[in-house]
Amino acid sequence: MTIKNNPADDVISIIVPCFNEESVLPAFYSAVSDAASSIEGAVCEFLFIDDGSSDRTAEILQHFTEKDERVRFLTFSRNFGKEAAMYAGLQNASGDYCVFMDADLQHPPALLKNMYHAVKYEGYDCCAGLREDRTGENPIRTFLSRSFYHLIGNACHLDMGDGKGDFRMMNRAMTDSILELKEYNRYMKGIFSFVGFDTKWIPFHNTERAAGKTKWNFRSLFRYAMDGMLSFSSAPASLPGFIGMFLLIAAVVTGLVSVFTGHKANWILLLVCLILALNGIQMIFLSLLGQYMSKDYMESKKRPIYIIKKKGGF
Ligand code: UDP
Ligand code: MG
């Protein structure tokens, strides 16, 4: 079965993770269908991933497939999370280009055309939306998210700034390199950054979701943040080392000062210094152990050591 009218057309796979999105799916489908029909030289297929919804999401998706041959969907046996849904989407997408979109219309469909232009004609491998603001979001979530992206940016040495999200169109080479990363704990923002490739950023303003509620609460966001940090950085394992070093130096300095200040040595203070120093040494060794373990953990992911973008003269 082909959805192409013209064999020269490209196929763009629109991958949409959905978790209890019954209230917004019809509006999403109609808005994205309209936007897709304005893209010259490409046809779009829809690949919805129903991430274990308990509402009418699956029923609505079934209805879409019955009336539109461009639509396919997968239903998970339970809620596996957005990252798993995105991976399943990539594995099942046959398009020359793949784009991720949230179902709630927070990713403007009008940008699809510009994204296709960038990856098809401007020499980019990827074109991604850069969310410029967080209008309409809970201010506490905004503060925590911004702090997290600042922290993870410094800890991981990967480009994962605030606003650089999942809304992006990628060519086949980039898509296939992401599929090569088979790790179980998938943190897509880190993975996009890890695989590299030339990305064009298109700014857009945040809007509130068209209908329904956000699927994230503080607990799930915290878990997500920890996953991201632990999947791409061993910085937390060095933390006890820094604290231990500080304790050791503070204990030695305080001990020496108390002995050499000319006063009678204060034995209780010296005992406290000794305990602190031993504690510091213990923490330094704990951190060393953590470093070895984190190296082993990163090895166990079996990430490619390099990714080739192009070959010439072979
Ligand atoms: N989503 C998902 N599985 C989940 C949580 C979310 O597939 O466990 C989907 C959700 O249906 C939506 C997208 O991921 O299409 C983004 O979710 P949401 O809008 O709730 O996140 P926010 O915009 O608040 O960050
Ligand atoms: Mg949303």
Side-chain angles (χ1 to χ4, degrees):
M1 181 210 70
T2 178
I3 53 171
K4 293 186 189 185
N5 295 326
N6 177 348
D9 280 347
D10 286 316
V11 174
I12 301 174
S13 300
I14 302 175
I15 299 167
V16 193
C18 307
F19 181 43
N20 293 335
E21 299 289 10
E22 62 175 9
S23 53
V24 78
L25 273 176
F28 172 87
Y29 171 70
S30 123
V32 178
S33 291
D34 286 350
S37 61
S38 73
I39 303 177
E40 275 172 38
V43 287
C44 292
E45 67 162 7
F46 289 86
L47 193 45
F48 292 96
I49 316 297
D50 169 15
D51 183 14
S53 303
S54 53
D55 65 356
R56 289 180 50 252
T57 293
E59 198 183 309
I60 293 169
L61 295 179
Q62 178 66 41
H63 177 66
F64 289 164
T65 56
E66 281 160 16
K67 65 171 191 172
D68 185 345
E69 60 176 2
R70 298 171 308 164
V71 178
R72 290 186 292 142
F73 75 93
L74 305 170
T75 294
F76 283 173
S77 57
R78 65 167 170 86
N79 180 241
F80 280 89
K82 186 183 173 187
E83 308 288 311
M86 289 164 78
Y87 186 56
L90 284 186
Q91 278 188 315
N92 288 278
S94 54
D96 305 288
Y97 300 93
C98 291
V99 56
F100 294 113
M101 294 187 84
D102 285 356
D104 56 9
L105 286 172
Q106 286 190 297
H107 295 158
L111 291 192
L112 288 176
K113 200 174 170 174
N114 306 10
M115 287 181 163
Y116 176 64
H117 193 272
V119 289
K120 176 75 182 177
Y121 301 108
E122 296 172 31
Y124 290 98
D125 302 294
C126 172
C127 182
L130 178 66
R131 192 178 52 182
E132 283 194 312
D133 55 300
R134 287 174 168 269
T135 314
E137 192 180 78
N138 176 333
I140 303 176
R141 177 173 168 180
T142 300
F143 170 74
L144 291 177
S145 297
R146 289 209 168 123
S147 313
F148 166 70
Y149 285 116
H150 186 69
L151 193 72
I152 199 169
N154 287 329
C156 301
H157 310 294
L158 286 173
D159 183 19
M160 290 185 263
D162 185 27
K164 296 184 170 176
D166 303 323
F167 180 33
R168 57 183 70 213
M169 190 180 292
M170 303 170 298
N171 62 14
R172 227 336 103 189
M174 183 165 173
T175 304
D176 288 344
S177 70
I178 289 176
L179 284 170
E180 256 184 60
L181 272 75
K182 309 244 182 276
E183 56 206 69
Y184 180 79
N185 289 301
R186 299 186 73 80
Y187 181 68
M188 271 302 207
K189 291 182 181 71
I191 288 176
F192 291 138
S193 181
F194 176 84
V195 297
F197 291 92
D198 293 335
T199 301
K200 176 178 182 175
W201 295 97
I202 304 186
F204 71 96
H205 285 294
N206 195 39
T207 45
E208 288 192 38
R209 5 162 93 238
K213 281 195 299 206
T214 175
K215 307 299 175 299
W216 300 90
N217 53 35
F218 282 109
R219 208 170 126 228
S220 55
L221 279 172
F222 180 73
R223 225 175 26 222
Y224 180 66
M226 285 305 286
D227 270 356
M229 185 62 97
L230 296 177
S231 297
F232 281 91
S233 168
S234 58
S238 11
L239 212 59
F242 287 120
I243 299 172
M245 197 73 84
F246 173 77
L247 285 183
L248 184 62
I249 293 171
V252 170
V253 170
T254 319
L256 287 178
V257 168
S258 89
V259 170
F260 290 109
T261 42
H263 302 293
K264 238 184 358 182
N266 180 342
W267 294 111
I268 296 182
L269 182 65
L270 281 181
L271 193 66
V272 171
C273 287
L274 188 69
I275 293 172
L276 273 185
L278 287 176
N279 225 322
I281 291 169
Q282 233 173 13
M283 288 181 87
I284 291 168
F285 279 102
L286 196 74
S287 173
L288 266 179
L289 213 65
Q291 292 291 341
Y292 279 113
M293 281 177 68
S294 65
K295 290 262 177 276
D296 201 38
Y297 166 62
M298 292 295 176
E299 288 285 338
S300 70
K301 289 177 183 276
K302 304 220 182 314
R303 284 185 188 152
I305 296 168
Y306 56 83
I307 292 167
I308 293 174
K309 186 174 144 183
K310 200 174 170 184
K311 282 185 180 176
F314 272 84

